[in-house]
Amino acid sequence: MPDHQDFLTLTPLGGYGEIGMNCTIWSTATTSVLVDCGLMFPDDYLLGIDVVIPQFDHILRQKEKVRGIVLTHGHEDHIGALPWLMPWLHVPIYGSRFTMALVEHKLREANLLDRSELVVVEPGQRLALGDMVFNFFPVCHSIIEGFGLGVETPVGRVVHTGDFKLDPNPIDGHSTDLDAFRRFSDEGVQLLLSDSTNIERDGHSLGEREIRDTFDGIFRDATGRVVVTLFSSHIQRIQEVFDIAAKYGRKVAVSGRSLLNNIDIARDLGFMRVPSGVYMDPQDMPALPDNEIVLLVTGSQGEPLSALSRITRGEHRSLAIKEGDTVIMSSRFIPGNARAITRLINDMYRLGAEVYYENFRNIHASGHAYREELRTMLETVRPRFFVPVHGEYRHLVKHCRLAHECGIPQEHTIILEDGDPLTLLPEGIRKEPRINLETVLVDGKGVGDVGSSVLKERQILGGEGMVVVFLVLDEQIWEILHGPDIVSKGFIFEAHYNHVLEDAKCIVLDILENMSPGDLEKLQDRIRSTLRRFFRKVLERDPVVLPVITMV
Amino acid sequence: MPDHQDFLTLTPLGGYGEIGMNCTIWSTATTSVLVDCGLMFPDDYLLGIDVVIPQFDHILRQKEKVRGIVLTHGHEDHIGALPWLMPWLHVPIYGSRFTMALVEHKLREANLLDRSELVVVEPGQRLALGDMVFNFFPVCHSIIEGFGLGVETPVGRVVHTGDFKLDPNPIDGHSTDLDAFRRFSDEGVQLLLSDSTNIERDGHSLGEREIRDTFDGIFRDATGRVVVTLFSSHIQRIQEVFDIAAKYGRKVAVSGRSLLNNIDIARDLGFMRVPSGVYMDPQDMPALPDNEIVLLVTGSQGEPLSALSRITRGEHRSLAIKEGDTVIMSSRFIPGNARAITRLINDMYRLGAEVYYENFRNIHASGHAYREELRTMLETVRPRFFVPVHGEYRHLVKHCRLAHECGIPQEHTIILEDGDPLTLLPEGIRKEPRINLETVLVDGKGVGDVGSSVLKERQILGGEGMVVVFLVLDEQIWEILHGPDIVSKGFIFEAHYNHVLEDAKCIVLDILENMSPGDLEKLQDRIRSTLRRFFRKVLERDPVVLPVITMV
């Protein structure tokens, strides 16, 4: 670490080389600021894990230097890990009005609100935190009130785009303030950090206006009810649904906790204008003809407990999909959810609905800039150094290549992964040795107590099941007082395969007969290994075998 | 079921309303023929299940009528379930030379070859099975030697397209013999069954020639090694790799069992011509300069044990991905595999390779007809009735709509799902009541012994783990002789959370103290429910709790 010298060190705790869990420490000699504090939803192989969060040890070790947490926007992958950090770190949190409202809701639910200081910052405001000054530039994204950051540091200016896109023809001024980026950059930017999510997509992203036109056409032609599902934080698109519904004389009933909640917040803050009489309770629906109804529901990822899944399975209190419904699924399918989503779509077709989804033109627009927009950002900021963020490794590689095309020399583009600190110095840039960083798995209230050995056990339990063998032995002479009994879980239908379990009991008796008393551990080992071999042979399965032997 | 009358009943055992596990019984009054006998790879939620196969009860109940099994082509979703049927059904199997070679290999591995009769049929051949005559039409698909079927039945002609596409400009005559379909149809077709996989894709599928051109361009520009992965039964594309390798003076080393095996079979039968000296052993590679090397490997779906995954993880005997490699992944990403595949791609980029995959233009062509090709088939066959096959429910709906566009009236298009028999009569068509049909889950050697209750247990075990509580009681006075002891698997790190397990023991002691002796089942229930409540409260987890109580 440099001494007696100006520097800025960026320490990525998450979001570099992966999409999700964005979290970076910005440190100077006197000041540290955490930029974003997101979570990640687990991959399928993380059995039973609810969410994944960054390891905070590194920021907690420099507590006294930390001046605040700056949030770029309110998506879960940028704010979701706050409930696990705030109990340990008492610093103000800064962000836009809408972002702060979402954070307030989140921290209230976690009973952490009273000990947190939430500070709203406005676009254009200059926020001094220690020896850094943060400037906030409005950016267009799939959530309202996102910010890009222009940071004045002791070693020069740094720009962080946040998650952004350029919508050249936006609705209601939801656009990226490219001029603000340009003005800040005109004094020279040392380093640019830029969103890499869609670097693999050529050209420009779709504008929200196109989506609105698509919706308008579908609403216009629908003769029955229209059912819309989308990401519940996409306030702008939710507004469009209300507007188009009003245009075609339809009422909107909303179902799903996160949608209701976000609409409440957005209306309270004046970010949504719902035409009077359009927003109604699902309970009142039956009274209206189908062509005056819109259902706005959660569940765009096929989540089994979401409103859309429940109304498709017929498990919703008051709503059900029926013949003549037109369903709009306005979101990207996250790959891990593809099978659940297509199952849901097929089920809706079985019920006689028509479904417009990903494969329909202009039904969804990404919130992240495509290649040519990323080029525009590079050309606007014209940084000396470039670090691609918010992407998987291949995205970072390709974003660096784009930077090279824009004239940034190869040795001035740096790929960082989580745990790779980078130090900006007056004379240049330096990669620091990787810090030891593990992602933290959250399972219920347990934080970090589920690690690879527990996951490995879950994998075997989940794939092969478990067999418990129990017997009671006389301690002196190792005579069986009770058992062996065998209970299995997730292994086989015991009724069908009773003979296998009976054979297993005989094997245990055999083992006992051929062992001299005394070594309990050896007995357990032998039961385990012999039964595993037996099950592999007769069933080609390898369950967890747990021998429970009691001596009395 | 009709009596004293001509009829044809189609009983779909698999592949209708789902993609995979194709299997249909064709029955007349005197004759039954099974068309295809495929398996399906399980969805993620089928924990630990290896493959899914159709329930064969229905065909086995009419054994004496069954004259044979007709296979359209050699993909697993058309032949994969044979090893589970052949032990119970002794009838000849018919298919093309290449299909039969794959079946022979499969049945030999299952030790079923000696009791099976495999009969090769040629295109144009008329095969009489009871009172049906099968005609075989060559179709273009992602495997060589696929057939469509023209069947003369007592109630008229029926056409089954098999899996097909129309490649108007094919390489080496691998094309669909549309003329054969037309000639057969000229005498009038009662019913058409047609592949629905790509009904949602407009226009025409990509031709194999375009893929070859893409490969040629990548090979031409590559300065290091070229690594190719693709579906290992795609003999035609494998041939292209060898041809282009030869053109650019590269040798091809093959790794992966299924590729080696399929290449062997295809060469033996004369379906591949490998230029001499081009095909070599991976062991010999180091001796050659990189720009003379092609690695052809299995693993296009990111399978962790495949060659590509192993050479990327550095776990392969003689091969490893390195800086300068150009990797071609020439296949569609099956949705359930998307995360594994993108992880693999990122890892290859980390090692310095360049990877061309799905997002690269013309890197893969589907083997299934797009919308306009399906239209051509409908217009060629001009059937009276239409049943879409080989698709999820939404595909079947949309394929019926296309048939309506082609002039087939709505009441003549029928959507069948697995278990919905359909009877064709001289005077028309009739849907029969759904038969009771469950898919059969195969886990190791166990067939059908894992059902929904076992899967449910696996799901909980896999997501939450298991806690076993054991104690030994004196039968008379319910005094504890030993225990309570607690062992957990897949639940928590016991070392970190010892206090939770200690508290759990105290809870068990409490329960015992407050119960009068006698009712063992009640004691077990109470331990189970109290501990589950306890774990939910302190950890928000809900493991399987298994009380094991022994009385002595």
Side-chain angles (χ1 to χ4, degrees), chain A residues 295-514:
Chain A
L295 307 180
L296 179 61
V297 298
T298 54
S300 63
Q301 294 300 315
E303 305 91 328
L305 299 178
S306 66
L308 187 58
S309 290
R310 286 185 292 120
I311 70 178
T312 301
R313 285 198 307 266
E315 292 170 5
H316 190 278
R317 193 169 15 90
S318 52
L319 303 174
I321 291 290
K322 62 178 184 181
E323 177 106 37
D325 285 349
T326 300
V327 182
I328 301 176
M329 302 185 78
S330 176
S331 67
R332 191 178 77 92
F333 291 176
I334 295 169
N337 304 331
R339 291 192 184 198
I341 297 170
T342 54
R343 233 183 337 257
L344 180 62
I345 294 172
N346 287 316
D347 285 343
M348 291 191 282
Y349 270 103
R350 280 195 183 85
L351 295 168
E354 181 66 42
V355 187
Y356 297 104
Y357 53 100
E358 228 187 20
N359 77 335
F360 190 76
R361 218 166 63 84
N362 295 3
I363 199 85
H364 172 64
S366 172
H368 298 275
Y370 283 22
R371 187 178 177 84
E372 291 312 307
E373 297 160 74
L374 295 174
R375 185 193 302 276
T376 300
M377 182 57 81
L378 277 157
E379 289 171 351
T380 301
V381 177
R382 288 152 291 132
R384 188 167 161 222
F385 296 101
F386 176 70
V387 170
V389 301
H390 208 286
E392 297 179 23
Y393 196 90
R394 68 182 190 283
H395 302 125
L396 307 184
V397 170
K398 292 177 180 180
H399 205 175
C400 281
R401 290 184 191 158
L402 178 65
H404 305 153
E405 285 181 25
C406 296
I408 300 172
Q410 190 149 355
E411 61 279 15
H412 282 204
T413 63
I414 305 101
I415 292 181
L416 300 181
E417 291 196 84
D418 298 346
D420 288 338
L422 179 79
T423 298
L424 185 64
L425 297 162
E427 69 273 20
I429 208 152
R430 184 177 67 211
K431 272 184 95 161
E432 308 288 346
R434 179 167 287 200
I435 61 170
N436 191 2
L437 200 62
E438 289 190 10
T439 54
V440 176
L441 309 180
V442 179
D443 176 6
K445 283 190 188 165
V447 180
D449 64 321
V450 170
S452 56
S453 69
V454 172
L455 282 174
K456 183 76 199 161
E457 285 176 353
R458 287 186 181 178
Q459 210 168 17
I460 299 174
L461 285 171
E464 310 274 335
M466 171 149 189
V467 175
V468 183
V469 181
F470 52 105
L471 73 167
V472 182
L473 290 185
D474 180 298
E475 197 163 6
Q476 306 302 317
I477 54 170
W478 277 37
E479 197 170 275
I480 295 186
L481 297 177
H482 187 97
D485 281 338
I486 295 190
V487 175
S488 81
K489 289 278 169 193
F491 180 49
I492 47 175
F493 278 150
E494 295 183 6
H496 287 197
Y497 273 72
N498 211 6
H499 61 282
V500 174
L501 299 184
E502 287 305 315
D503 288 351
K505 283 184 197 171
C506 294
I507 290 172
V508 175
L509 290 174
D510 264 7
I511 293 170
L512 252 177
E513 227 165 71
N514 294 308

Side-chain angles (χ1 to χ4, degrees), chain A residues 16-18 41-45 47-50 200 334-339 342-343 345-347 349-351 353-355 357 359 392-395 397-398 401 417 442-455 457-459 461-466 468 470-472 481-483 487-493 496-497 536-541 544-546 548-552, chain B residues 16-18 41-45 47-50 200 334-339 342-343 345-347 349-351 353-355 357 359 392-395 397-398 401 417 442-455 457-459 461-466 468 470-472 481-483 487-493 496-497 536-541 544-546 548-552:
Chain A
Y16 294 66
E18 68 196 351
F41 294 103
D43 266 11
D44 306 338
Y45 71 94
L47 292 169
I49 298 302
D50 301 320
E200 293 186 316
I334 295 169
N337 304 331
R339 291 192 184 198
T342 54
R343 233 183 337 257
I345 294 172
N346 287 316
D347 285 343
Y349 270 103
R350 280 195 183 85
L351 295 168
E354 181 66 42
V355 187
Y357 53 100
N359 77 335
E392 297 179 23
Y393 196 90
R394 68 182 190 283
H395 302 125
V397 170
K398 292 177 180 180
R401 290 184 191 158
E417 291 196 84
V442 179
D443 176 6
K445 283 190 188 165
V447 180
D449 64 321
V450 170
S452 56
S453 69
V454 172
L455 282 174
E457 285 176 353
R458 287 186 181 178
Q459 210 168 17
L461 285 171
E464 310 274 335
M466 171 149 189
V468 183
F470 52 105
L471 73 167
V472 182
L481 297 177
H482 187 97
V487 175
S488 81
K489 289 278 169 193
F491 180 49
I492 47 175
F493 278 150
H496 287 197
Y497 273 72
R536 276 202 298 263
K537 196 173 145 212
V538 297
L539 295 169
E540 284 182 4
R541 287 185 210 166
V544 175
V545 174
L546 183 67
V548 174
I549 299 164
T550 308
M551 300 289 190
V552 293
Chain B
Y16 293 66
E18 68 195 353
F41 294 101
D43 267 12
D44 306 338
Y45 71 95
L47 292 170
I49 299 302
D50 301 320
E200 293 186 317
I334 294 170
N337 304 331
R339 291 192 185 197
T342 54
R343 235 186 332 258
I345 294 173
N346 286 317
D347 285 342
Y349 271 102
R350 280 192 183 89
L351 295 169
E354 180 67 41
V355 187
Y357 53 100
N359 77 337
E392 298 178 19
Y393 197 89
R394 67 183 191 284
H395 301 125
V397 170
K398 293 177 180 180
R401 291 184 190 157
E417 291 197 86
V442 180
D443 177 5
K445 283 190 190 164
V447 179
D449 64 321
V450 170
S452 56
S453 69
V454 172
L455 282 173
E457 285 176 355
R458 286 187 182 177
Q459 210 168 17
L461 285 169
E464 309 274 336
M466 173 150 190
V468 183
F470 52 105
L471 71 167
V472 181
L481 297 178
H482 186 96
V487 175
S488 80
K489 289 280 168 191
F491 180 51
I492 48 176
F493 277 149
H496 287 196
Y497 273 72
R536 277 201 298 261
K537 194 172 146 213
V538 299
L539 295 170
E540 285 181 2
R541 286 183 213 169
V544 174
V545 174
L546 182 67
V548 174
I549 300 164
T550 308
M551 301 288 189
V552 291

Side-chain angles (χ1 to χ4, degrees), chain B residues 112-237:
Chain B
L112 291 166
L113 193 55
D114 46 352
R115 60 174 102 179
S116 309
E117 187 189 342
L118 309 187
V119 184
V120 169
V121 292
E122 301 291 339
Q125 185 177 333
R126 294 182 79 236
L127 173 70
L129 295 173
D131 56 5
M132 289 187 269
V133 178
F134 284 76
N135 297 269
F136 300 88
F137 313 136
V139 290
C140 175
H141 186 43
S142 45
I143 189 170
I144 52 171
E145 289 233 307
F147 283 144
L149 306 175
V151 188
E152 302 159 39
T153 82
V155 286
R157 300 194 154 203
V158 179
V159 169
H160 177 32
T161 63
D163 293 10
F164 82 104
K165 67 186 291 189
L166 304 177
D167 192 339
N169 189 14
I171 302 173
D172 284 350
H174 288 289
S175 73
T176 293
D177 189 350
L178 209 55
D179 272 343
F181 279 93
R182 184 175 292 115
R183 281 192 306 270
F184 183 82
S185 303
D186 276 347
E187 299 189 24
V189 167
Q190 292 299 307
L191 172 64
L192 169 65
L193 312 174
S194 180
D195 180 355
S196 311
T197 315
N198 279 335
I199 181 68
E200 293 186 317
R201 303 204 187 180
D202 289 336
H204 294 266
S205 65
L206 211 60
E208 198 59 29
R209 205 173 284 273
E210 275 96 342
I211 308 306
R212 192 177 66 178
D213 291 347
T214 305
F215 276 38
D216 193 290
I218 295 173
F219 273 67
R220 186 191 58 221
D221 297 342
T223 54
R225 302 186 303 182
V226 176
V227 181
V228 181
T229 183
L230 37 60
F231 286 121
S232 61
S233 59
H234 205 319
I235 297 301
Q236 188 187 351
R237 202 170 295 164

Side-chain angles (χ1 to χ4, degrees), chain A residues 177-191:
Chain A
D177 189 351
L178 210 54
D179 272 344
F181 279 93
R182 184 175 293 114
R183 282 192 305 273
F184 182 83
S185 303
D186 277 346
E187 299 190 24
V189 167
Q190 291 299 306
L191 172 63

Side-chain angles (χ1 to χ4, degrees), chain A residues 211-221 244 247-248:
Chain A
I211 307 306
R212 193 176 66 177
D213 292 346
T214 305
F215 277 37
D216 193 292
I218 295 173
F219 274 67
R220 187 192 58 221
D221 298 341
I244 299 168
K247 173 175 170 189
Y248 290 103

